[in-house]
Amino acid sequence: DAKTTQPPSMDCAEGRAANLPCNHSTISGNEYVYWYRQIHSQGPQYIIHGLKNNETNEMASLIITEDRKSSTLILPHATLRDTAVYYCIVRSGTASKLTFGTGTRLQVTL
Amino acid sequence: NAGVTQTPKFQVLKTGQSMTLQCAQDMNHNSMYWYRQDPGMGLRLIYYSASEGTTDKGEVPNGYNVSRLNKREFSLRLESAAPSQTSVYFCASSGVRGSNQPQHFGDGTRLSIL
């Protein structure tokens, strides 16, 4: 699975959009981009995933560049409850494991 | 809909004791996984089961055994616990292996070995 690079931390004001970047320059054609988050010491929570098209669900939007070498997770209206560590993971459909890196620690403030 | 349920939530063991961590999912998923997470680190795969009746080793299988009891349940056993196995253990499940379906996680079992 391709390696990902994320900033270690970011801050966002409550009510504003949080844009979390991820670089995955070695991604292969059959690999998907997944986003998870982990709030405090809870289990990782699935947010969204995509292959090459932009995706949106009730939690977030995923924007993948045309060359697929990077992506951005967008939380449109961040709240204090969105404070968490966000993980960008690249994985092929045949892979068994998810490889969690160190992620981005998002702090949402008043 | 409970999703993935893990029991117990907390446990303290003495070195050399044995224990089984339980995991059950109600999403009719085929694949199940056991991960461990050490402080300040990402999750590492211990064992997984692609389907009922099959199990395979992950990155860090030493000191653990697993049983896929049925489609719903996947247990992790520590035969002789060691302090190095102090960690938070997460169980996950997903749909058909080989698809892009995401894994869904339980809330974890926090295990301390003295």
Side-chain angles (χ1 to χ4, degrees):
Chain A
D1 292 340
K3 183 177 179 179
T4 62
T5 303
Q6 299 178 252
S9 64
M10 293 183 65
D11 292 329
C12 179
E14 190 176 34
R16 305 296 294 268
N19 297 292
L20 290 86
C22 179
N23 286 321
H24 32 78
S25 59
T26 60
I27 191 170
S28 300
N30 66 341
E31 290 179 317
Y32 288 77
V33 180
Y34 294 80
W35 282 85
Y36 284 78
R37 71 182 182 183
Q38 192 169 23
I39 298 173
H40 192 43
S41 54
Q42 297 176 19
Q45 178 186 22
Y46 165 74
I47 301 173
I48 197 167
H49 75 285
L51 182 62
K52 54 184 178 181
N53 297 321
N54 297 338
E55 302 288 344
T56 295
N57 63 21
E58 65 277 5
M59 289 182 67
S61 295
L62 174 61
I63 308 298
I64 302 174
T65 58
E66 191 168 346
D67 63 6
R68 301 206 325 119
K69 293 185 177 182
S70 66
S71 61
T72 301
L73 177 74
I74 301 172
L75 307 178
H77 305 286
T79 70
L80 296 177
R81 290 183 293 180
D82 292 321
T83 293
V85 178
Y86 288 77
Y87 297 96
C88 168
I89 300 167
V90 174
R91 170 180 174 261
S92 69
T94 57
S96 301
K97 66 178 182 179
L98 293 171
T99 300
F100 286 78
T102 54
T104 296
R105 184 172 297 277
L106 176 69
Q107 180 69 52
V108 180
T109 58
L110 291 171
Chain B
N1 192 345
V4 178
T5 302
Q6 294 184 235
T7 56
K9 295 188 185 305
F10 302 92
Q11 185 70 47
V12 179
L13 294 178
K14 294 181 180 179
T15 298
Q17 287 185 314
S18 62
M19 173 168 189
T20 300
L21 281 60
Q22 307 288 352
C23 175
Q25 53 92 8
D26 62 4
M27 296 175 283
N28 200 34
H29 283 165
N30 289 307
S31 301
M32 297 185 73
Y33 312 81
W34 276 105
Y35 292 85
R36 61 176 287 174
Q37 184 175 33
D38 299 320
M41 297 181 65
L43 280 70
R44 292 182 292 169
L45 183 66
I46 305 171
Y47 271 94
Y48 67 98
S49 170
S51 61
E52 186 177 354
T54 68
T55 61
D56 286 286
K57 295 179 180 179
E59 300 174 78
V60 289
N62 292 343
Y64 304 96
N65 287 301
V66 290
S67 295
R68 184 73 183 267
L69 305 171
N70 48 54
K71 190 171 185 178
R72 289 187 63 247
E73 298 172 290
F74 188 38
S75 62
L76 178 71
R77 182 162 178 84
L78 287 71
E79 290 291 351
S80 179
S84 61
Q85 294 178 304
T86 293
S87 190
V88 182
Y89 291 85
F90 292 104
C91 177
S93 70
S94 67
V96 177
R97 182 169 179 263
S99 73
N100 61 26
Q101 295 178 36
Q103 295 181 18
H104 296 273
F105 288 79
D107 285 334
T109 293
R110 284 146 185 81
L111 184 60
S112 293
I113 300 162
L114 306 177

